[in-house]
Amino acid sequence: MTSDDSPFRAAARHFGRRGFLTGTGAAAALAFAVGLPAAGAAQAAELDARKITEDPFTLGVASGDPLPDAVLLWTRLAPRPYEPGGGLPAARVAVRWELAHDERFTRVVRRGHATAHPELNHTVHVEVPHLEPGRAYHYRFRAGGWTSPPGRTRTAPHPGARPASLRVAAVSCQAYHDGYFTAYRHLADEPDLAAVVHLGDYLYEYAVDATGGARAYTDRRLPAHFARETVTLEDYRLRYALYKTDPDLRAAHAAHPFVVTWDDHETENNYAGDRPENDVPPEEFLLRRAAAYRAYWENQPLRRPQRPSGPGMRLHRRLRFGRLAQFDVLDTRQYRSDQAYGDGWRVPGPESEDPARTMLGAEQERWLLDGWRTSDALWNVVPQQVVLARRRNVPGPGYKLSMDAWDGYPAARRRFLDGARTAGADNLVVLTGDVHVGYALDLKADFDDPSSRTVGTELVATSITSGRDGTERPANWGDLTAANPHLRFYDGRRGYLRVTFDERLTRADFRTVSAVTTPGAPVTTAASFVTEAGAPGLVPA
């Protein structure tokens, strides 16, 4: 870590791990580290929005976590997004918002005021209640004489309804320095999406050569401070600002509500709970994690229950789309045991197979099982981060498994699959990201026996850009498909996943673009698969 994170080191020394892990210690340490006002401090002065002389809506708008009677709207005021504070003084700014039935805003159904606080980097989260279920709305914000771009969102169906169909998209892994977000432009044009499910790695914390190197094949320009690793709250905020200036990402956010969950790079590569990738002390890493979680909440369309407290943030949550589908959004980073055998692809053994190892933590496991037991939905959908199904790297003996995926936590995977079976969550669909490829996988009762019962489906969304262009058949395609007979499809190109649920089946369309290192590539459907309700198992559509 660099000298720039010296406040983290000072706070860690001052409070110690035990004090930091308490709620009071966490809040005090975070304030100490990042200069936030202490509890009870006087509010910042209010800025007359009419004095804002540059467009403050440079980062667009977003909505998220649709409910049957409510929507969550987001924006951030940042006239100069690459500057700390976004080019605004440390003052409160009054923001007006409108929600309408039509895109011209002639039939406004709700309007109100919100405050953009400097302590939250002038982000705005507006929860709009008392809406009609299962319908589209248009929204926008105003500050002074400026008006944001319009956005379109949609409420979830009535809890007792069984809609004829439900369509979502799934995305993951969008390294800005690896290419253009072309897939998002195509996704913005997808009709009738109830939501876009983001499965993690919304940004990358790595140091990036701002003068060439990783970006040399595109004309994407990076501010100079991206040459260092992201570790402080201001670093994370600036990194989100860079990503959200991308016009294709802004278009996707404006077109559809998002349901987001993180993976590792929103904080640090392959961290596990309070354990960083390197040898930084846990109490010091938790300060960094607190900054990362705060910036994540600030910059995503998330509701108040997800607002972090110190180094913790309850990201797992449940969304229902009538009685057709229940979405149990998981967090496989914050509570997991440390990776076995030092991480990476390893030969499994007693350490990885320890039954005490957890991926979700005890409380989240109970929450998931309880939700399955009470679910009345036809499809039980689980958006989460890392591959659940087993993946041997080569056929035959001597194979290795990924210690960062559920293969490194086989006892936790067994509890997951057994829990779904005993709870009656028969039509199980798991949505996964992380690996920068598209997979279609059958989930087996016994992965050692290919003829064993199929208990669910796993659909893995490839990356938006991470890994650059990719190829249809990566170098390990032959080994991986031979070693894992439950792997029905494997494609290494960039793109997104489109999933449609109805009364009979779930259909997955793997949408890929030919390149991300040059702009404007067309999108095609690489393959389509279906799995029938009551008869799990993937077949080509």
Side-chain angles (χ1 to χ4, degrees):
M1 301 178 76
T2 69
S3 60
D4 293 309
D5 60 331
S6 55
F8 283 0
R9 296 183 182 275
R13 288 193 301 270
H14 182 76
F15 290 97
R17 186 178 186 215
R18 183 175 298 275
F20 185 79
L21 289 173
T22 67
T24 301
L30 180 59
F32 185 94
V34 299
L36 297 176
Q43 285 190 322
E46 184 166 348
L47 174 68
D48 184 346
R50 293 173 297 180
K51 295 183 178 179
I52 299 176
T53 59
E54 300 172 76
D55 181 8
F57 296 108
T58 58
L59 305 181
V61 299
S63 68
D65 281 12
L67 300 179
D69 61 349
V71 295
L72 186 286
L73 309 179
W74 175 95
T75 194
R76 180 188 165 210
L77 307 183
R80 296 190 294 278
Y82 296 157
E83 296 181 9
L88 290 175
R92 292 174 290 133
V93 181
V95 179
R96 293 162 288 155
W97 57 267
E98 294 177 308
L99 191 79
H101 285 315
D102 65 308
E103 59 187 350
R104 298 181 65 186
F105 291 86
T106 61
R107 293 184 293 148
V108 174
V109 294
R110 294 283 185 277
R111 55 166 50 96
H113 294 79
T115 301
H117 293 277
E119 295 87 353
L120 299 178
N121 211 27
H122 292 108
T123 58
V124 177
H125 296 72
V126 175
E127 299 187 39
V128 185
H130 310 305
L131 302 177
E132 298 176 43
R135 71 165 300 155
Y137 290 92
H138 300 265
Y139 63 96
R140 64 187 178 187
F141 297 89
R142 297 179 188 271
W146 300 94
T147 301
S148 76
R152 182 178 182 273
T153 190
R154 178 181 290 275
T155 52
H158 187 278
R162 180 67 72 82
S165 65
L166 174 77
R167 177 174 288 179
V168 302
V171 298
S172 70
C173 304
Q174 52 194 54
Y176 184 91
H177 51 277
D178 269 0
Y180 295 94
F181 290 172
T182 309
Y184 271 131
R185 177 59 60 179
H186 295 296
L187 191 153
D189 294 333
E190 289 277 359
D192 302 322
L193 291 184
V196 174
V197 183
H198 200 294
L199 299 161
D201 293 345
Y202 192 95
L203 56 70
Y204 281 72
E205 85 289 7
Y206 295 142
V208 179
D209 183 355
T211 60
R215 73 161 189 88
Y217 53 86
T218 74
D219 63 0
R220 283 185 176 273
R221 303 202 177 276
L222 299 176
H225 57 258
F226 286 86
R228 66 174 184 265
E229 185 178 2
T230 297
V231 293
T232 68
L233 178 59
E234 195 59 61
D235 289 338
Y236 286 110
R237 286 170 164 174
L238 289 169
R239 190 78 49 126
Y240 279 106
L242 173 69
Y243 277 60
K244 285 179 174 289
T245 56
D246 181 88
D248 295 336
L249 176 57
R250 293 201 310 272
H253 271 299
H256 312 292
F258 271 53
V259 174
V260 301
T261 187
W262 54 40
D263 194 14
D264 51 341
H265 289 290
E266 287 90 348
T267 301
E268 184 198 51
N269 179 56
N270 282 11
Y271 80 94
D274 65 354
R275 300 291 169 175
E277 184 179 35
N278 51 31
D279 58 357
V280 170
E283 59 269 25
E284 186 175 322
F285 172 70
L286 283 172
L287 286 164
R288 174 178 180 172
R289 199 180 85 173
Y293 285 11
R294 182 183 184 92
Y296 185 83
W297 185 85
E298 288 176 350
N299 286 281
Q300 299 290 7
L302 288 165
R303 297 179 182 275
R304 185 170 293 274
Q306 277 62 64
R307 186 168 170 174
S309 175
M313 177 171 163
R314 185 187 172 97
L315 193 58
H316 59 282
R317 61 207 189 277
R318 182 165 293 123
L319 298 169
R320 296 181 175 89
F321 293 86
R323 293 187 298 114
L324 183 61
Q326 175 174 294
F327 281 56
D328 292 299
V329 184
L330 300 187
D331 173 359
T332 65
R333 282 293 162 191
Q334 186 174 183
Y335 312 108
R336 66 158 68 188
S337 306
D338 200 8
Q339 291 92 340
Y341 300 114
D343 207 356
W345 287 76
R346 309 293 182 193
V347 175
E351 184 180 345
S352 62
E353 294 168 358
D354 183 349
R357 289 175 57 73
T358 181
M359 179 67 88
L360 302 177
E363 187 278 331
Q364 189 178 190
E365 277 194 21
R366 288 193 299 271
W367 170 86
L368 178 61
L369 296 179
D370 289 345
W372 279 337
R373 291 189 190 102
T374 59
S375 173
D376 63 356
L378 176 64
W379 298 99
N380 288 283
V381 186
V382 183
Q384 57 97 51
Q385 292 77 22
V386 293
V387 176
L388 179 69
R390 191 178 67 186
R391 284 180 304 151
R392 291 177 171 174
N393 69 326
V394 293
Y399 63 85
K400 295 179 180 180
L401 302 173
S402 170
M403 294 295 106
D404 188 57
W406 287 82
D407 274 336
Y409 305 76
R413 177 171 60 202
R414 176 49 50 204
R415 293 194 296 272
F416 180 103
L417 294 176
D418 286 349
R421 175 180 55 82
T422 58
D426 296 324
N427 299 312
L428 177 66
V429 177
V430 177
L431 301 179
T432 299
D434 180 56
V435 287
H436 309 169
V437 299
Y439 290 143
L441 296 138
D442 287 338
L443 297 173
K444 307 296 289 185
D446 182 358
F447 286 105
D448 287 323
D449 179 6
S451 65
S452 69
R453 186 167 61 96
T454 298
V455 297
T457 296
E458 183 170 16
L459 303 170
V460 180
T462 188
S463 65
I464 292 290
T465 57
S466 302
R468 304 187 189 177
D469 289 337
T471 60
E472 181 177 358
R473 290 197 171 186
N476 67 345
W477 189 93
D479 281 340
L480 215 64
T481 53
N484 303 285
H486 52 283
L487 175 59
R488 305 302 188 193
F489 173 72
Y490 176 17
D491 189 291
R493 289 170 290 185
R494 308 294 147 245
Y496 58 94
L497 181 66
R498 186 176 63 199
V499 187
T500 306
F501 305 90
D502 65 28
E503 290 279 356
R504 292 192 312 108
L505 52 82
T506 290
R507 177 188 175 104
D509 299 310
F510 290 85
R511 305 277 281 166
T512 59
V513 294
S514 56
V516 295
T517 55
T518 55
V523 66
T524 59
T525 300
S528 298
F529 289 83
V530 297
T531 180
E532 292 187 19
L538 287 160
V539 295

